[in-house]
């Protein structure tokens, strides 16, 4: 029978890889909790309308990337393509937005039916951060300071750059949209296919077209900047001042727009040049209108999401994963003979109590001494403990260094934990 395989674009993350994931997730958790952000966990499936009403009917995501299906009751459900909509729904549903501010984060898989390629998958993972109830540019700045700290922690600071822009209020974008469409109509035939389609549906997205021909046409196009409302201009200039004061480097990219309809005012992307065209590792912005649009009281908000696959790919590409990030054991306890099997299990337990934080693997499954030592070596352990019936009779154990030429030693059972403590600590 043909074997069943994983779905295209959806990856297994194997045991060799999970330490890197845990390392990155751990760093992010630590940074976020250091700023007082609290974790929220939402379902992976939501009502389809939630995404249509938030992300926007004519965005790429809603038009062609969502995994939508009818469940057994005939309700239209969708695997979440991003986390903001669900986070807003949950926060509103449970009264988290009533008369208070919130700094929230979440992580988990997202689903988009895109063409799989390096850095672009159909199931991918994001860490998302959403802040509610704070209208000033200070919280926008905090998000960027926080991500800047994370890049430092991961050694990525020299490899990421920040682009920011202001896309103003919906009204400002509306008048700009008309001006842009008016200008681009004269060049309709020369635009790339995607941009021709967007001219009707979502003309602002044409600004970040990857086509050089389209970009050439855009050189003389009206500038969004000239259409911005006063409040957005003021918000943006105060944000820039805060970033300058905080020592955060950025460039203003007047063509930066985001693919989701709910953004307004501040938008930003952290980009790397080390991953080819899938170079955006973190993206976000302000979405002051979304809560109300989804039926809540008007509540200002700002947030971002970072793609974990891209972050990890970047760390690996740049060889920035620290050597200690692995699944290696510290101690491997072998057991030769029936009495030794039971003794090895209890010896391993006492080592785990006596060596907090150490990885102690107890050999299971029998086999010859040679094959047990082979497994000990493969476990990555620095020391093998040798325990057989002879050792049990004499109340001793053998301790064999696996990563150096030091000789094996025999020592009293009672001294093993303290000896290993010294050796592993050194
Ligand atoms: P892109 O322009 O690369 O398609 P996007 O604008 O669709 O990104 P967002 O919806 O803002 O991306 O998601 C935030 C981040 O999530 C992206 O910057 C990226 O790091 C990651 N991401 C988005 N889509 C994918 C995907 N299909 N596979 C892997 N990571 C993704
Ligand atoms: Mg996309």
């Amino acid at each position: 029978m043909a074997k069943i395989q994983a779905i295209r674009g959806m990856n297994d993350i194997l045991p060799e890889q999970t330490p890197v994931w845990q390392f990155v997730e751990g760093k992010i958790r630590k940074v976020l909790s250091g700023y007082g952000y609290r974790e929220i966990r939402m379902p992976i499936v939501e009502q389809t309308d939630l995404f249509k009403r938030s992300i926007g009917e004519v965005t790429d995501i809603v038009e062609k990337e969502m995994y939508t299906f009818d469940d057994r009751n005939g309700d239209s459900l969708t695997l979440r393509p991003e986390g903001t909509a669900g986070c807003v729904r949950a926060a509103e549903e449970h009264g988290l937005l009533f008369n208070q501010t919130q700094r929230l984060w979440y992580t988990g898989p997202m689903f988009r039916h895109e063409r799989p390629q390096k850095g672009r998958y159909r199931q991918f993972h994001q860490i998302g951060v959403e802040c509610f109830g704070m209208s000033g540019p200070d919280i926008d700045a905090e998000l960027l300071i926080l991500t800047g700290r994370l890049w430092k922690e991961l050694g990525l600071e020299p490899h990421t750059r920040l682009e920011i822009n202001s896309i103003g209020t919906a009204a400002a974008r509306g008048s700009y949209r008309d001006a842009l469409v008016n200008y681009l109509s004269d060049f309709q035939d020369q635009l790339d296919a995607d941009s021709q389609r967007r001219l009707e549906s979502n003309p602002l997205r044409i600004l970040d077209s990857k086509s050089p021909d389209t970009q050439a046409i855009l050189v003389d196009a009206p500038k969004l900047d000239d259409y911005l409302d006063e409040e957005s201009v003021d918000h943006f200039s105060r944000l820039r001042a805060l970033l300058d004061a905080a020592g955060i480097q950025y460039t203003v990219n007047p063509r930066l727009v985001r693919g989701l309809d709910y953004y307004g005012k501040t938008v930003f992307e952290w980009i790397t040049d080390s991953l080819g065209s899938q170079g955006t590792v973190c993206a976000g912005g302000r979405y002051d209108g979304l809560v109300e649009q989804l039926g809540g009281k008007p509540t200002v908000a700002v947030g971002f999401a970072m793609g974990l696959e891209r972050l990890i790919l970047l760390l690996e590409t740049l060889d920035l994963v620290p050597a200690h990030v692995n699944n290696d054991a510290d101690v491997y306890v072998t057991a030769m003979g029936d009495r030794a099997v039971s003794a090895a299990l209890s010896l391993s337990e006492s080592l785990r109590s006596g060596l907090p934080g150490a990885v102690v693997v107890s050999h299971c499954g029998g086999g010859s001494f040679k094959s047990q030592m082979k497994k000990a070596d493969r476990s990555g352990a620095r020391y093998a403990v040798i325990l057989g019936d002879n050792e049990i009779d004499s109340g001793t154990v053998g301790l064999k260094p696996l990563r150096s030429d030091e000789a094996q030693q025999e020592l009293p059972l009672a001294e093993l934990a303290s000896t290993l403590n010294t050796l592993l600590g050194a």
Side-chain angles (χ1 to χ4, degrees), residues 239-368:
L239 171 62
R240 290 193 317 257
L242 290 170
L243 294 177
D244 292 339
I248 302 280
Q249 309 262 336
Y250 58 86
T251 52
V252 175
N253 174 357
R255 304 248 177 100
L256 182 65
V257 288
R258 311 263 23 261
L260 298 85
D261 276 359
Y262 50 66
Y263 287 113
K265 289 190 177 163
T266 313
V267 293
F268 58 84
E269 289 192 359
W270 286 95
I271 301 166
T272 177
D273 297 320
S274 307
L275 287 182
S277 53
Q278 267 61 252
T280 304
V281 289
C282 173
R286 196 160 259 289
Y287 52 95
D288 291 343
L290 182 59
V291 176
E292 188 179 14
Q293 197 179 311
L294 290 175
K297 273 219 204 133
T299 306
V300 296
V302 57
F304 67 73
M306 55 185 126
L308 284 175
E309 279 80 1
R310 289 187 196 176
L311 260 189
I312 287 165
L313 206 56
L314 182 60
L315 287 172
E316 286 172 344
T317 305
L318 298 168
D319 216 3
L320 287 173
V321 180
H324 67 80
V325 175
N326 57 44
N327 277 319
D328 287 354
D330 295 301
V331 181
Y332 194 95
V333 180
T334 63
M336 289 300 298
D338 286 344
R339 282 193 297 153
V341 167
S342 167
L345 286 171
S346 69
L347 176 60
S348 300
E349 278 305 293
S350 69
L351 290 179
R352 289 179 194 115
S353 305
L355 304 168
V359 178
V360 178
V361 176
S362 199
H363 180 83
C364 289
S368 67

Side-chain angles (χ1 to χ4, degrees), residues 60-61 65 112 114 120 205 310:
D60 283 353
I61 294 179
E65 295 175 359
R112 296 184 194 176
E114 304 195 68
R120 193 176 292 287
R205 279 297 299 228
R310 289 187 196 176

Side-chain angles (χ1 to χ4, degrees), residues 20-21 47 73 92 102 118 139 174 188 198 238 249 283 287 293 319 346 375 377 420-421:
V20 187
W21 282 76
Q47 296 199 31
N73 305 327
E92 180 60 27
Q102 290 287 351
K118 186 180 151 202
I139 187 69
Q188 197 159 358
R198 284 175 172 151
R238 287 193 293 144
Q249 309 262 336
Y287 52 95
Q293 197 179 311
D319 216 3
S346 69
K375 288 216 168 92
D377 189 50
L420 275 171
N421 223 338

Side-chain angles (χ1 to χ4, degrees), residues 44-243:
I44 285 171
V45 185
E46 299 273 0
Q47 296 199 31
T48 302
D49 275 348
L50 177 69
F51 302 114
K52 287 195 176 164
R53 278 165 56 182
S54 54
I55 297 167
E57 297 265 7
V58 293
T59 56
D60 283 353
I61 294 179
V62 171
E63 273 187 338
K64 48 188 193 191
E65 295 175 359
M66 293 206 305
Y67 281 90
T68 297
F69 60 96
D70 286 346
D71 81 351
R72 288 172 194 275
N73 305 327
D75 296 327
S76 179
L77 306 183
T78 294
L79 299 184
R80 62 182 183 194
E82 55 100 62
T84 304
C87 184
V88 168
R89 191 229 10 97
E92 180 60 27
E93 189 168 328
H94 300 286
L96 305 190
L97 305 181
F98 186 70
N99 271 350
Q100 57 197 315
T101 60
Q102 290 287 351
R103 289 176 165 91
L104 304 175
W105 70 272
Y106 51 81
T107 183
M110 307 293 162
F111 303 85
R112 296 184 194 176
H113 196 275
E114 304 195 68
R115 191 169 70 75
Q117 53 195 291
K118 186 180 151 202
R120 193 176 292 287
Y121 312 100
R122 290 180 173 175
Q123 173 176 319
F124 61 99
H125 297 77
Q126 286 182 336
I127 289 201
V129 173
E130 318 289 352
C131 300
F132 297 99
M134 292 161 274
S135 61
D138 45 359
I139 187 69
D140 306 20
E142 176 177 287
L143 288 178
L144 296 167
I145 292 169
L146 173 164
T147 29
R149 176 179 289 267
L150 178 66
W151 308 145
K152 266 189 209 138
E153 291 262 331
L154 292 171
L156 288 175
E157 201 193 9
H159 308 282
T160 47
R161 57 192 165 80
L162 173 62
E163 292 190 355
I164 61 175
N165 192 22
S166 177
I167 58 172
T169 58
R173 282 195 304 283
S175 24
Y176 174 65
R177 182 194 151 111
D178 294 344
L180 183 67
V181 170
N182 188 32
Y183 169 83
L184 287 176
S185 315
D186 292 345
F187 302 94
Q188 197 159 358
D189 308 339
Q190 291 146 262
L191 296 173
D192 62 278
D194 261 346
S195 296
Q196 289 191 11
R197 199 167 46 78
R198 284 175 172 151
L199 196 53
E200 296 263 316
S201 59
N202 199 351
L204 259 62
R205 279 297 299 228
I206 297 175
L207 294 182
D208 71 357
S209 160
K210 302 241 157 54
S211 151
D213 293 343
T214 301
Q215 282 300 331
I217 294 166
L218 285 169
V219 171
D220 294 320
K223 303 281 176 277
L224 176 55
D225 207 26
D226 298 327
Y227 288 77
L228 289 189
D229 51 291
E230 209 173 303
E231 195 193 321
S232 297
V233 171
D234 176 59
H235 185 99
F236 196 48
S237 80
R238 287 193 293 144
L239 171 62
R240 290 193 317 257
L242 290 170
L243 294 177

